[in-house]
Amino acid sequence: MSALAPNYKRKNLSFVKGKGSFLLAKNGKKYLDFVQGIAVNSFGHANKKLINAINKQSKKLWHVSNAFIIPEGEKLAQRLVKKTFADAIIFQNSGAEATEAAIKVARRYFYSIGKENKVDIVCIKNSFHGRTLAAIHASGSKKMIQGFGPKVPGFKHFEFGNHKKLKKLINKNTAAIMIETVMGEGGIKVIPSWCIKAIKELCVKKGILLILDEVQCGIGRSGKFFAFEYAGVKPDIVPIAKGIGGGFPIGAVLMTKKVAKGMIPGSHGSTFGGNPLAMSVGNAVLDQINKKLLNNVNKMSKYFINNLNILKKKYPRIIKEVRGIGLLIGIQLHHDQTKFIKKLMNNKLLTIRAAENVIRILPPLNVKKNEIDLALKIIKKVCSELN
Ligand SMILES: *Cc1c(COP(=O)(O)O)cnc(C)c1O
């Protein structure tokens, strides 16, 4: 019997070590890991530069309070500011904390300019922003909020694609629109660039803020540093997490200087957020998110998606749609995906589910062509078995 609470239905499989795209299981078998901790291990397992960074820093200093200057965090923040739309950063430890902080930054901005009525955050129904109380209410998923007490006020929802409803929801009390640029848990739904652009224009027109949740699709996974770069828009606030830590828990919220002004001393904090150990790893992750890596993401993405579409043509009764951008790929099946995922696992390919019968595929950003070929071979085999 496990002493862990039963809030996860775990597969009967555990691992002893990993290298790049592969995991070695306790049962002695080698698995191709196209989950990578859910888009977390940007460079696969046991990345040399990350190991060096954490080894080096762990001998010097792990943790000090944010009451003091932390040079490693100053450096990572400077680099993120230089690379992106942002003028200021707050470090956290996870995605949910980052989206929570994003909501706080938006509300605090309006408070600081004397418009404290502007608190409402408009979100897509059944999106995913994490599991804290505010974040589950931001998602608006019935399943996630069930049993967790009174509704957290201040969140309004529209269905994916229902722009009329979105416009109707915006009133004098609206602070921000918060959406995932690519809906990950929601079934790898890429919000089209024209749509992101139109939402940005709406925000400008209404004088509200745009929060783009890039916790899953950010830090190179989309083939650009941020997925919203495809739309050419400038958001006000962007929470990140997963990929920036490469396996070490790091979250952050990026913001413009306009909204950063509201975050005066004492307005927000985190004991662990931005500690020297985490920041050293974050810097070593950023060192490796370069043009060459993004080229690999785009090349491998094209190759993978093209070949999955060939499989879709061959097995039209099984595969309904191939979705995605960069190395955030979804295979939507006509039927429940549980059996398919299990068969992939039995053939030593690890994938993970998303909503709408989608099998989510998240290779490391430095994945090699022969690894994708191996995955395609296994997916094809399972298709033919289930056909
Ligand atoms: C995973 C995820 C989160 C939550 O991150 P945690 O680290 O699990 O708290 C928030 N938003 C999006 C888009 C995510 O994919």
Side-chain angles (χ1 to χ4, degrees), residues 133-158:
L133 276 172
I136 57 177
H137 285 89
S139 151
S141 144
K142 268 211 188 93
K143 213 174 116 191
M144 272 201 274
I145 65 175
Q146 219 167 44
F148 293 117
K151 199 163 183 256
V152 175
F155 297 98
K156 300 269 159 69
H157 298 96
F158 65 102

Side-chain angles (χ1 to χ4, degrees), residues 163-237:
H163 300 144
K164 240 194 210 151
K165 175 85 184 282
L166 164 61
K167 279 180 194 150
K168 248 210 264 161
L169 287 178
I170 295 168
N171 59 32
K172 65 177 192 336
N173 297 325
T174 309
I177 298 175
M178 176 164 80
I179 54 176
E180 295 164 77
T181 323
V182 180
M183 294 175 71
E185 309 291 314
I188 317 290
K189 277 153 70 169
V190 184
I191 306 201
S193 286
W194 65 265
C195 188
I196 303 266
K197 265 188 211 144
I199 290 175
K200 171 68 193 181
E201 277 164 25
L202 185 63
C203 287
V204 172
K205 197 173 132 204
K206 301 281 184 183
I208 60 174
L209 302 171
L210 177 60
I211 306 173
L212 293 174
D213 182 344
E214 294 249 353
V215 169
Q216 189 157 165
C217 60
I219 324 301
R221 184 141 298 267
S222 73
K224 290 193 184 282
F225 190 76
F226 281 131
F228 65 73
E229 290 171 35
Y230 287 100
V233 301
K234 185 179 169 195
D236 301 283
I237 304 170

Side-chain angles (χ1 to χ4, degrees), residues 36 53 170 183 258 306:
Q36 292 294 341
I170 295 168
M183 294 175 71
K258 179 178 100 174
N306 281 347

